[in-house]
Every structure is written in structure tokens, then in C-alpha cells.
């Protein structure tokens, strides 16, 4: 299969910024930093990651806004948008900077130097310590987190004034539960440092080298030696939401440590999915087509809930467009198409979720068949979600037998068109609900 890896479409990303330590002071130091090293062992460790400059503040600017803006000090500054926060907000996403008070420096809070200022800031917690702050970092159920969070520990707990061991213990106490939740809930934890602490005697190729760790869903564990920096990290964070980074992050390549595949050319099906290409993205110019009896365009074998985002075309002349054997999520963008000579999309085993703004067609059977039972978790779908179909305005789902057939309980929300030549537009075999919005058919 041709293509490139892609950044997963995360629900939540939490970035923790530590202070002023060299890569080799942290990685391998299991006596003082056992928790951080456990994250490195279970996640993606970037072994050639560098800060941009010295001192602290321009590095925070780089990670937050994609540029140092020529800053060479930790003094007060006024810089222009766009930033991570404003780009997310403009796209209907959210950002919060969580600060542990007291004891953080303003030069560790980059947003205060931009027009949004402290409107995107709140305290970290617990609530009894910060009665004047708004919503604090949640505990246990992290589904209320914004799209992206920066967590800024106090100077005592971020290695600036305190010890490595103190910071490691603080991180374990406050973020270990989120790290494990992230793995099972389509989310990501990033731990990095603003800058290193000592350049003396270090080779040029390791100038300002710091540790950076990515831990969560879709991350392929291992040590990665490709060269990355704060601009690449910002590009990766915004890439998870289909957005382009500001300033230098606009041209910085996303970090490649994720399972996943992007198909941008023409591929002959069937494409049989494996863990290395989950999630699968078909780009706007990409196409997967299959012909011949029983040849689906895309097959997702049993044992894995699959995630597919289609921006191009997927089609099979004589079988199904997409068949997923153990649940999954399929997103079909505006202008994109999924067509099968039999069924457009068939999902078995566990619950399936379909979001359609393009066209889904089943030639001889159903446009969409969801035959799996309700599950507690599907990759890319919120916990507890059952079979669901969301058809956006402009979306078209059509079949010969049924437009949408859900064998067990399901929910359908329609703002476009759903229809069938022979039987029902929508058939819910196990009950559920249908919402047909204004101007939908």
C-alpha cells in the first residue's frame, strides 16, 4: 500500500513542559526519574529532539506560536496572533493553559504575551487551593478536557528550582492516570522540556538537546532518532485536528511516531488493514478501487476496531466498499464517496460509527449496514457509544434494500438525504432513535 503515516485525529492532547535539563540527565536516570523513564519505555522517545534557543521564553513562544519573534530574554513582550489557542478556537476547538499556583513565572506562560492573554489560562488544582480560578484540571474522567492543554508545573515541580526526583513524583501523582486513560480514549500525553541546561563540551549536533516523549493512543513505542524540535511538535499538535501551524510550524514536518497510513494516490483493492495503518486516511486525491467477485475495496480484519477517514473515493464494483469485522469509525468528507456493488459500508462484531458529509452508496444491498452490538469502546469513538450514523447537510446515503440498516440498537441523525429503492430509508432492528433535521429527507 502506498502512502505516508499521519497524525491520529485525537480527542485530547495534554502537553507538560518541564525546565532546563539535558536529555542525558533524564533519559536512563531511573533512580531520580523512574516515572518519566517508564513513559519513555512505553511510548515514543525522541532521541534527537532540540529546543530552539536560550533562554526559556523564546522556546515557549516557539512551542505555542511557531516563532521566537526575535526574543532573546525572559522579559515582558507583546507578540501577534495566530497561536495554538487562536487557531484551535477559530476551528471550533479549545485550548486551556493549566498553571500550578503559586510559583510559576510569567515567562513560562506564553499566552500572556499574545492578545488572548490570560483568557485561556486557569489553575491546575486542587480546587480548594485556587478558589478564584475557573474549571481546573479534571481528575478521573478526563473527557471534559479541552482539545489541547498545556500543563505548567510550579518552579519547584518542573525541575527549575526543585529536583528531578520531585518533578518526576509530581508528574506521576498528577498525570499518570491521564496517561493510561489517554491510551484507551484516543488521546495523547506529551512531556518535553523548554531548553537544556549545559552546552559546555556538547557536540554541535546535540546542541540544546532535550527529552521529548509522546505517550497514548496510536503511538508506536520505540526510540526515534529523526531530528525534531518545538516547531515540529506544534505542527504535530495542530495536525491532529487537521490544522496548519503558525509561522515556522507551518512548514515543519509532523513527528512520525504514530500508527497510521495516508493514501494519496490510486491503489487497487482490497486494502487489508493492519495495525501499522490504523487509522487509515484517504487524501482528497486518493482513490481505492476493487473489481472482481468478493473483492471489497477495504477490509478490516477481526480483532481491532478500525478508524478510517475518507477525503477521496473508495469503491468496489462487485462487493462492499468497506468491511470492518470488529467495529470501528468511518468518516466520509464532503465531496468524498464510498460505494459498493453490494454494500457501501458494513461493520460487524462491535459498534460502528459513521459520519458522512459526502456520498455513500450500496448497489445491490444496504448503503450502510451496522451489524455489531453495543461496545464500551471503539477506536476513535467515545466510550459507551453505540452504533450511530450522522449524515450531515449535503450528505447522501442510498441503498437498494435499505439506506441505513442497524441490526441492534442505534441512533441516526440526518441533515441530508437517506433513501433506498426497495425497502426502508432507515431500519433499526433493535430500536433506537432517528432525528430528521429541518430540510432533511
Amino acid at each position: 500500500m502506498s502512502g505516508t503515516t499521519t497524525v491520529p485525529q485525537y480527542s485530547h492532547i495534554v502537553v507538560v513542559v518541564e525546565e532546563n535539563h539535558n536529555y542525558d540527565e533524564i533519559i536512563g536516570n531511573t533512580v531520580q526519574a523512574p516515572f518519566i523513564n517508564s513513559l519513555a519505555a512505553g511510548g515514543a522517545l525522541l532521541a534527537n529532539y532540540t529546543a530552539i534557543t536560550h533562554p526559556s521564553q523564546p522556546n515557549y513562544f516557539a512551542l505555542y506560536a511557531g516563532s521566537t519573534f526575535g526574543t532573546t530574554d525572559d522579559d515582558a513582550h507583546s507578540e501577534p496572533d495566530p497561536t495554538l489557542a487562536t487557531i484551535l478556537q477559530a476551528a471550533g476547538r479549545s485550548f486551556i493553559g493549566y498553571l500550578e499556583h503559586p510559583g510559576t513565572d510569567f515567562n513560562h506562560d506564553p499566552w500572556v504575551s499574545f492578545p488572548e492573554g490570560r483568557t485561556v489560562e486557569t489553575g491546575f488544582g486542587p480546587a480548594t487551593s485556587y478558589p478564584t480560578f475557573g474549571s481546573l484540571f479534571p481528575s478521573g474522567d478526563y473527557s471534559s478536557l479541552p482539545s489541547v492543554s498545556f500543563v505548567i508545573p510550579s518552579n519547584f515541580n518542573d525541575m527549575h528550582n526543585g529536583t528531578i526526583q520531585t518533578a518526576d513524583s509530581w508528574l506521576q501523582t498528577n498525570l499518570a492516570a491521564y496517561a493510561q486513560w489517554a491510551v484507551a480514549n484516543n488521546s495523547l500525553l506529551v512531556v518535553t522540556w523548554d531548553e537544556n541546561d549545559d552546552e559546555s563540551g556538547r557536540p554541535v549536533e546535540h546542541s540544546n538537546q532535550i527529552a521529548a516523549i509522546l505517550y497514548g493512543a496510536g503511538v508506536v513505542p520505540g526510540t526515534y532518532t529523526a531530528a525534531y524540535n518545538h516547531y515540529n511538535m506544534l505542527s504535530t499538535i495542530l495536525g491532529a485536528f487537521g490544522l496548519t501551524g503558525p509561522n515556522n510550524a507551518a512548514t515543519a514536518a509532523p513527528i512520525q511516531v504514530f500508527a497510521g497510513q495516508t493514501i494519496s494516490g490510486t491503489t487497487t483493492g482490497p486494502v487489508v488493514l493492519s495495525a501499522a495503518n490504523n487509522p487509515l486516511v484517504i487524501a482528497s486525491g486518493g482513490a481505492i478501487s476493487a473489481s472482481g467477485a468478493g473483492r471489497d475495496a477495504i477490509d478490516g480484519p477481526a480483532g481491532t476496531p478500525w478508524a478510517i477517514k475518507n477525503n477521496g473515493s473508495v469503491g468496489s464494483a462487485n462487493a462492499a466498499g468497506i468491511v470492518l469485522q470488529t467495529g470501528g469509525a468511518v468518516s466520509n468528507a464532503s465531496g468524498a464517496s464510498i460505494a459498493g456493488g453490494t454494500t457501501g459500508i458494513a461493520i460487524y462484531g462491535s459498534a460502528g460509527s459513521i459520519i458522512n458529509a459526502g456520498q455513500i452508496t450500496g448497489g445491490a444491498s444496504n448503503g450502510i449496514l451496522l451489524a455489531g452490538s453495543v461496545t464500551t469502546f471503539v477506536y476513535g469513538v467515545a466510550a459507551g457509544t453505540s452504533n450511530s450514523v450522522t449524515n450531515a447537510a449535503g450528505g447522501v446515503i442510498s441503498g437498494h434494500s435499505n439506506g441505513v440498516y442497524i441490526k441492534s440498537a442505534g441512533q441516526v441523525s440526518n441533515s441530508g438525504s437517506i433513501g433506498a429503492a426497495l425497502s426502508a430509508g432507515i431500519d433499526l432492528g433493535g430500536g433506537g432513535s432517528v432525528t430528521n433535521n429541518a430540510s432533511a429527507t
Side-chain angles (χ1 to χ4, degrees):
M1 188 194 316
S2 63
T4 58
T5 55
T6 186
V7 183
Q9 301 167 63
Y10 284 118
S11 300
H12 308 280
I13 298 176
V14 174
V15 181
V16 182
V17 186
E18 306 285 359
E19 279 278 317
N20 297 20
H21 277 73
N22 301 342
Y23 176 93
D24 53 14
E25 290 178 304
I26 304 301
I27 301 305
N29 184 356
T30 56
V31 174
Q32 294 177 295
F35 177 67
I36 292 172
N37 278 272
S38 72
L39 290 176
L45 170 64
L46 306 185
N48 192 10
Y49 187 95
T50 56
I52 304 300
T53 186
H54 292 289
S56 290
Q57 184 162 248
N59 289 293
Y60 282 89
F61 286 175
L63 189 57
Y64 180 70
S67 175
T68 66
F69 301 94
T71 302
T72 58
D73 54 48
D74 288 331
D75 298 336
H77 290 272
S78 179
E79 306 297 351
D81 285 331
T83 63
L84 172 59
T86 61
I87 291 171
L88 287 167
Q89 290 168 346
R93 303 287 184 168
S94 53
F95 173 89
I96 293 177
Y98 292 96
L99 273 67
E100 186 191 23
H101 291 281
T104 58
D105 289 337
F106 80 91
N107 59 358
H108 298 170
D109 315 343
W111 40 88
V112 302
S113 297
F114 294 85
E116 57 269 28
R118 297 192 186 277
T119 63
V120 297
E121 176 185 306
T122 190
F124 182 81
T128 53
S129 301
Y130 315 106
T132 61
F133 283 89
S135 177
L136 304 179
F137 195 87
S139 177
D141 180 8
Y142 301 99
S143 60
S144 62
L145 279 167
S147 305
V148 179
S149 311
F150 270 30
V151 171
I152 308 298
S154 72
N155 284 346
F156 183 73
N157 290 321
D158 67 0
M159 304 187 191
H160 188 282
N161 296 343
T163 65
I164 293 173
Q165 189 167 7
T166 296
D168 187 79
S169 297
W170 186 93
L171 193 65
Q172 181 172 19
T173 298
N174 290 283
L175 274 302
Y178 170 77
Q180 298 312 311
W181 182 90
V183 173
N185 289 274
N186 192 41
S187 297
L188 180 69
L189 171 66
V190 176
V191 180
T192 191
W193 279 251
D194 66 331
E195 60 180 330
N196 77 357
D197 140 83
D198 178 17
E199 297 290 5
S200 61
R202 301 180 69 80
V204 172
E205 62 269 23
H206 293 298
S207 175
N208 219 345
Q209 183 186 17
I210 53 177
I213 301 163
L214 293 84
Y215 188 97
V219 173
V220 180
T223 299
Y224 295 81
T225 58
Y228 294 117
N229 59 33
H230 290 326
Y231 299 141
N232 301 103
M233 188 68 77
L234 179 55
S235 173
T236 304
I237 292 167
L238 284 166
F241 303 95
L243 302 170
T244 300
N247 300 308
N248 294 310
T251 55
I255 293 166
Q256 299 296 324
V257 297
F258 306 104
Q261 190 85 10
T262 296
I263 294 178
S264 53
T266 300
T267 298
T268 300
V271 170
V272 180
L273 300 177
S274 67
N277 45 60
N278 186 29
L280 176 68
V281 176
I282 300 96
S284 58
I288 301 174
S289 60
S291 60
R295 294 176 67 86
D296 306 318
I298 299 175
D299 284 320
T304 299
W306 303 99
I308 298 172
K309 182 176 182 179
N310 180 41
N311 299 293
S313 73
V314 175
S316 170
N318 298 292
I322 298 174
V323 177
L324 307 180
Q325 295 292 346
T326 315
V330 178
S331 174
N332 194 46
S334 176
S337 64
I338 300 172
T342 55
T343 299
I345 301 172
I347 300 180
Y348 302 96
S350 295
S353 172
I354 311 292
I355 299 175
N356 178 51
Q359 185 165 340
I360 300 173
T361 306
S365 185
N366 304 292
I368 296 172
L369 168 64
L370 302 182
S373 59
V374 174
T375 187
T376 56
F377 175 75
V378 176
Y379 184 94
V381 183
T385 300
S386 63
N387 291 296
S388 65
V389 175
T390 301
N391 194 40
V396 177
I397 301 171
S398 61
H400 182 71
S401 300
N402 303 284
V404 175
Y405 178 29
I406 303 178
K407 284 192 173 183
S408 61
Q411 294 83 42
V412 179
S413 176
N414 180 39
S415 297
S417 171
I418 302 176
L422 183 63
S423 186
I426 300 171
D427 185 342
L428 302 182
S433 65
V434 175
T435 302
N436 200 50
N437 296 307
S439 301
T441 60

